[in-house]
Amino acid sequence: MNQCKIKFSWVLLIVATGVLFLTGPMMGAANAGEAFSCAKDSDINKMISPEASLENFSCMMKKWKGEETLHFNVAVKNISSEDQRFKVNIFLENGKAVGGLLPRKIKKGLIKPGATAKFVYPVKGETGAPGKIDLIIKTMSK
């Protein structure tokens, strides 16, 4: 009876090691620059201007300033009838925040009606998926 328990323990250990070995590459795939969902929809509080449509909001892990860092992919479409510039703010529950203007520079003009602007925002020191997120997209005054 005791010898049966020892064999079962070894079999269980081998199976657990195999599962960990097989899931290891899957975990690395998400870290290799592939986009993934930042959080559950219920954990993302979105406040988006009526002139804007959020076309993409995803996360990815990639190197930035020598370390693996969380990056937010944001794409905003201008759904108004006028050229627009948007202000994007992303607040995390741990107190960190990132954001900026779309387009960053207006030398080439504002976002035309029906056009989409994209930007990737890195979050310094953030090495994992965030918990709750506040996403604010406002229209800049002209």
Side-chain angles (χ1 to χ4, degrees):
M1 183 81 166
N2 197 12
Q3 190 177 16
C4 184
K5 287 183 180 179
I6 292 173
K7 284 183 180 179
F8 178 73
S9 297
W10 277 105
V11 169
L12 185 62
L13 179 66
I14 290 170
V15 169
T17 304
V19 168
L20 287 173
F21 180 74
L22 292 175
T23 58
M26 287 184 230
M27 300 288 271
N31 294 338
E34 292 183 15
F36 60 92
S37 177
C38 298
K40 296 184 293 187
D41 284 339
S42 61
D43 289 339
I44 302 175
N45 182 26
K46 298 175 185 173
M47 292 173 269
I48 302 173
S49 170
E51 295 85 9
S53 170
L54 184 64
E55 297 296 305
N56 180 25
F57 184 67
S58 61
C59 291
M60 69 179 168
M61 297 295 290
K62 67 179 187 177
K63 282 212 180 275
W64 185 68
K65 294 192 176 181
E67 64 182 59
E68 284 291 317
T69 304
L70 177 70
H71 289 67
F72 289 103
N73 299 315
V74 179
V76 179
K77 183 176 183 177
N78 179 3
I79 57 173
S80 72
S81 59
E82 299 178 6
D83 294 358
Q84 297 288 343
R85 188 176 196 194
F86 300 106
K87 182 177 182 180
V88 177
N89 290 325
I90 303 168
F91 299 98
L92 306 181
E93 71 178 336
N94 64 4
K96 294 189 178 197
V98 294
L101 300 173
L102 285 177
R104 282 187 48 226
K105 299 179 181 179
I106 58 172
K107 192 175 194 179
K108 296 180 182 177
L110 301 174
I111 303 171
K112 304 284 182 207
T116 302
K118 302 175 187 177
F119 196 75
V120 178
Y121 299 99
V123 185
K124 183 176 179 159
E126 194 70 26
T127 58
K132 296 185 186 241
I133 301 170
D134 289 330
L135 173 65
I136 302 169
I137 301 174
K138 296 180 184 176
T139 304
M140 298 293 295
S141 61
K142 295 187 175 137

